[in-house]
């Protein structure tokens, strides 16, 4: 007897349809799995047999052929256990095959018949809806994640026996509904706040500008100046995620099993902070089974690289494509995958090997050659892709012990959100989401420069020896400063402030 069960596989962060055919026929007992299965799929035979026995059903003592179609696509992972088990029960007459029609099923089975969670549930739900399927049956642990997809009945099974009772109509599982607005409203809050930062008013202003325009940022200062403390608070002033951004971000984290347990949707922007020993594959993505890297996990959020010169130069150089294009393409013999990687880069570094080159309180022990070698670990092309270079000085005792009130993150975030709203209206459906993503054409259109501004930029280019890319960065940052001020066009004051945020272009750092 032949049965068919609809399922789905995962390729990168995208789901694709899989049809599982199970045939139980006479002959010597044997189990054959065809359709390019990997080791985890081949091992499902033992898991499925034991789970069926321990769930109170009979495993047929016949020849069982399991085909995973399409046959020319490699199938990976244990998520086909549950649909294979249901197919075996249907093909052996213990379940009506007709009741499986229209149902998409995924899930890993434990030996006792319980259903374990799988990766990529959100992508699978989106793919099922696109195919016009009416119902999705998956592990109960994944149900809230998949239920954010509207127009699809999502049900969670705790066990194989429960799934069989639902399919047979004996005890149906109720579809789960998740209100996305409620998820955003009840999202957790950050444990840190800018009100805890004493002094550093100029640095806070620069961070506000960076976040308002989505600009990449690097902070340079001696140990103890507060670089890491400030970086940890940047997410608290980011604008709220939109639903589309949340779905996109959740898909990436779900595909690698990083979605927090019980969470249906990532309602806060992600923050990734890899150690400086990370490999280029860990940062960009790839591997034998291609998976997204840190730049994609930081999509729509922040990628924080502390002690930037300590990262391998080859690792830093692979950042060029995602910083420029907002995505990363990984090509292998088995295929090519493109992952989204639109993030705000925040980097921190010491000014020299000992760390005290710019510290007025401590003497630097490095000679000029050591400082140049240290700074040269970061290539010019990479620095050109960072809009704001910011010097962070230590805070003196008077400011630390002052009793004045510091502005909290909520106040800064309101200004940032207002500036981002202006940018969304300006760019419309063009695909440009913030000032940092403007193209040269957008700059000409939205940054009309007066004569005083042109003269100021000309002097800056001559004195600082700025590159053409640095010119663009200054214009983008000045456009953001003008947006925060509610100005129609950047004026000399806005451009002057933007030029001040190019610390590494000055001769002091050569």
């Amino acid at each position: 007897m032949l049965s068919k069960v609809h399922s789905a596989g995962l390729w990168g962060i995208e789901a694709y349809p899989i049809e599982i055919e199970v045939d139980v026929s006479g002959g010597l007992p044997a189990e054959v799995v065809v359709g390019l299965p990997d080791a985890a799929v081949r091992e499902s035979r033992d898991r499925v047999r034991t789970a069926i026995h321990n769930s109170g059903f009979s495993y047929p003592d016949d020849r069982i052929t399991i085909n995973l179609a399409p046959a020319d696509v490699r199938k990976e992972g244990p998520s086909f256990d549950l649909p294979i088990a249901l197919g075996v029960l249907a093909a052996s007459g213990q379940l009506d095959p007709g009741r499986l029609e229209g149902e998409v099923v995924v899930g890993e089975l434990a030996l006792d018949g319980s259903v374990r969670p799988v990766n990529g549930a959100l992508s699978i739900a989106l793919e099922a809806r696109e195919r016009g399927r009416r119902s999705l049956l998956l592990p109960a642990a994944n149900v809230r994640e998949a239920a954010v997809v509207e127009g699809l009945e999502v049900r969670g099974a705790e066990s194989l026996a429960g799934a069989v009772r639902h399919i047979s109509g004996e005890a149906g599982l109720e579809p789960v509904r998740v209100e996305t607005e409620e998820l955003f409203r009840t999202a957790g809050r950050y444990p840190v706040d800018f009100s805890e930062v004493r002094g550093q008013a100029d640095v806070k202003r620069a961070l506000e500008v960076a976040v308002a325009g989505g600009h990449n940022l690097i902070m340079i200062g001696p140990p103890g100046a507060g670089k890491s403390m400030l970086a940890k608070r940047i997410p608290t002033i980011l604008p709220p995620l939109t639903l589309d951004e949340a779905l996109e971000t959740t898909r990436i984290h779900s595909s690698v099993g990083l979605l927090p347990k019980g969470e249906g949707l990532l309602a806060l922007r992600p923050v990734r902070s890899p150690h400086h020993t990370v490999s280029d594959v860990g940062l960009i993505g790839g591997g034998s089974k291609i998976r997204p890297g840190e730049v994609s996990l930081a999509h729509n959020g922040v990628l924080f690289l502390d002690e930037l010169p300590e990262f391998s130069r080859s690792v830093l150089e692979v950042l060029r494509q995602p910083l420029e294009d907002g995505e990363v393409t990984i090509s292998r013999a088995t295929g090519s995958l493109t992952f989204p990687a639109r993030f705000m880069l925040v980097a921190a570094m010491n000014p020299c090997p000992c760390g005290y080159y710019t510290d007025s309180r401590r003497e630097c022990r490095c000679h000029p050659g050591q400082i140049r070698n240290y700074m040269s670990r970061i290539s010019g092309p990479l620095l050109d892709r960072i809009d704001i270079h910011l010097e962070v000085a230590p805070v003196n005792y008077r400011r630390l012990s002052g009793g004045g009130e510091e502005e909290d993150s909520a106040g800064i975030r309101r200004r940032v959100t207002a500036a981002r709203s202006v940018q969304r209206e300006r760019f419309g459906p063009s695909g440009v989401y913030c000032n940092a993503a403007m193209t040269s054409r957008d700059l000409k259109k939205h940054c009309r420069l007066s004569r005083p501004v042109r003269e100021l930029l000309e002097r800056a280019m001559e004195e600082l020896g700025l590159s053409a890319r640095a010119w663009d960065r200054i214009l983008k940052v000045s456009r953001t400063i003008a947006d925060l001020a509610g100005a129609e066009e950047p004026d000399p004051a806005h451009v002057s402030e933007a030029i001040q945020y190019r610390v590494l272009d000055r001769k002091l750092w050569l």
Side-chain angles (χ1 to χ4, degrees):
M1 187 174 178
L2 177 68
S3 67
K4 296 182 180 180
V5 185
H6 298 290
S7 187
L10 203 62
W11 176 241
I13 63 172
E14 300 290 338
Y16 59 94
I18 297 290
E19 186 176 68
I20 299 176
E21 301 172 317
V22 181
D23 180 72
V24 177
S25 57
L28 293 175
E31 300 159 356
V32 180
V33 181
V34 296
L36 286 181
D38 71 348
V41 179
R42 289 194 298 270
E43 290 171 354
S44 67
R45 296 174 298 183
D46 301 313
R47 290 193 298 271
V48 167
R49 184 193 310 111
T50 307
I52 287 177
H53 280 307
N54 289 334
S55 298
F57 303 103
S58 299
Y59 195 83
D61 293 326
D62 297 294
R63 181 177 178 83
I64 302 174
T65 304
I66 302 167
N67 179 43
L68 309 177
D72 60 343
V73 178
R74 186 164 183 80
K75 318 303 185 306
E76 299 176 332
S79 61
F80 304 116
D81 289 1
L82 181 58
I84 288 174
L86 294 176
V88 169
L89 294 175
S92 60
Q94 301 176 71
L95 185 64
D96 181 7
R99 299 189 70 91
L100 291 169
E101 190 64 33
E103 193 92 36
V104 177
V105 185
V106 293
E108 177 186 350
L109 287 176
L111 297 184
D112 62 356
S114 59
V115 183
R116 289 173 171 162
V118 298
N119 294 343
L122 179 56
S123 295
I124 292 170
L126 291 168
E127 193 278 331
R129 185 181 64 178
E130 290 175 6
R131 272 194 286 160
R133 301 297 178 189
R134 69 173 187 271
S135 180
L136 172 63
L137 180 63
L138 77 173
N142 295 118
V143 72
R144 283 180 58 80
E145 174 188 347
V148 301
V149 179
E150 296 181 354
L152 183 71
E153 292 185 354
V154 178
R155 296 176 174 87
E158 295 278 0
S159 65
L160 173 60
V164 171
R165 287 194 295 270
H166 164 69
I167 297 295
S168 62
E170 295 178 11
L173 297 170
E174 291 297 322
V176 175
R177 296 282 184 272
V178 172
E179 295 294 333
T180 54
E181 292 183 2
E182 181 66 19
L183 287 177
F184 283 109
R185 190 163 48 248
T186 58
R189 297 293 180 259
Y190 293 102
V192 295
D193 194 276
F194 263 104
S195 62
E196 301 157 356
V197 180
R198 294 289 179 183
Q200 303 284 25
D202 53 342
V203 180
K204 292 179 185 177
R205 165 64 179 177
L207 297 182
E208 179 181 339
V209 171
V211 174
H215 302 289
N216 299 320
L217 165 78
I218 183 169
M219 293 182 283
I220 310 98
K227 302 185 296 296
S228 298
M229 178 184 67
L230 289 161
K232 290 178 181 178
R233 284 156 178 78
I234 287 177
T236 68
I237 61 174
L238 288 167
L241 277 171
T242 65
L243 178 58
D244 288 343
E245 288 175 332
L247 288 171
E248 198 173 30
T249 305
T250 302
R251 286 180 65 194
I252 299 171
H253 286 249
S254 171
S255 70
V256 292
L258 292 180
L259 194 65
K261 187 176 180 180
E263 291 285 339
L265 199 67
L266 288 178
L268 294 176
R269 294 186 181 273
V271 181
R272 303 296 298 180
S273 181
H275 192 260
H276 65 259
T277 56
V278 67
S279 67
D280 52 354
V281 171
L283 190 64
I284 296 298
S288 56
K289 181 181 178 182
I290 302 177
R291 56 173 282 163
E294 292 290 339
V295 296
S296 296
L297 293 171
H299 181 60
N300 290 322
V302 173
L303 177 68
F304 176 48
L305 302 182
D306 200 7
E307 303 297 343
L308 189 66
E310 302 302 327
F311 285 78
S312 166
R313 188 178 180 114
S314 62
V315 169
L316 293 180
E317 291 307 299
V318 298
L319 281 173
R320 291 194 197 181
Q321 184 198 2
L323 285 176
E324 199 72 24
D325 302 333
E327 61 183 22
V328 58
T329 300
I330 301 170
S331 297
R332 296 290 185 271
T334 54
S336 178
L337 282 174
T338 298
F339 295 122
R342 195 176 64 224
F343 57 90
M344 177 182 169
L345 174 64
V346 178
M349 61 178 289
N350 295 330
C352 66
C354 78
Y356 299 108
Y357 178 43
T358 58
D359 193 340
S360 59
R361 303 172 303 176
R362 301 283 296 272
E363 182 181 356
C364 175
R365 301 187 302 271
C366 307
H367 59 71
Q370 287 179 307
I371 297 173
R372 281 195 297 270
N373 290 337
Y374 186 76
M375 298 300 298
S376 67
R377 296 181 189 178
I378 308 168
S379 69
L382 178 59
L383 280 178
D384 277 347
R385 287 170 170 82
I386 299 177
D387 301 355
I388 295 178
H389 309 161
L390 182 64
E391 184 176 358
V392 181
V395 181
N396 59 39
Y397 172 79
R398 181 177 298 177
R399 291 188 177 181
L400 283 175
S401 60
E405 290 279 335
E406 298 285 348
E407 186 176 19
D408 62 10
S409 295
I412 302 174
R413 186 169 58 245
R414 281 192 290 271
R415 295 194 295 272
V416 166
T417 303
R420 286 286 185 104
S421 298
V422 170
Q423 293 164 44
R424 283 197 301 270
E425 292 178 8
R426 175 186 300 130
F427 301 123
S430 65
V432 178
Y433 64 99
C434 64
N435 288 335
M438 283 193 291
T439 63
S440 297
R441 182 178 299 178
D442 295 321
L443 280 174
K444 291 180 180 179
K445 182 178 179 181
H446 301 297
C447 290
R448 291 184 290 271
L449 306 180
S450 62
R451 184 173 178 179
V453 168
R454 289 185 178 277
E455 292 175 351
L456 176 60
L457 282 170
E458 183 179 357
R459 290 199 306 272
M461 293 289 288
E462 292 176 354
E463 295 177 10
L464 299 178
L466 303 178
S467 66
R469 185 173 277 117
W471 165 284
D472 288 350
R473 303 303 181 197
I474 290 172
L475 289 182
K476 291 177 182 180
V477 173
S478 63
R479 176 68 270 179
T480 299
I481 296 170
D483 290 340
L484 285 168
E488 290 293 328
E489 300 294 342
D491 62 25
H494 303 145
V495 175
S496 294
E497 183 178 353
I499 293 172
Q500 291 300 310
Y501 296 146
R502 301 294 300 182
V503 169
L504 292 180
D505 292 325
R506 302 175 191 172
K507 293 181 179 180
L508 171 66
W509 300 92
L510 296 178

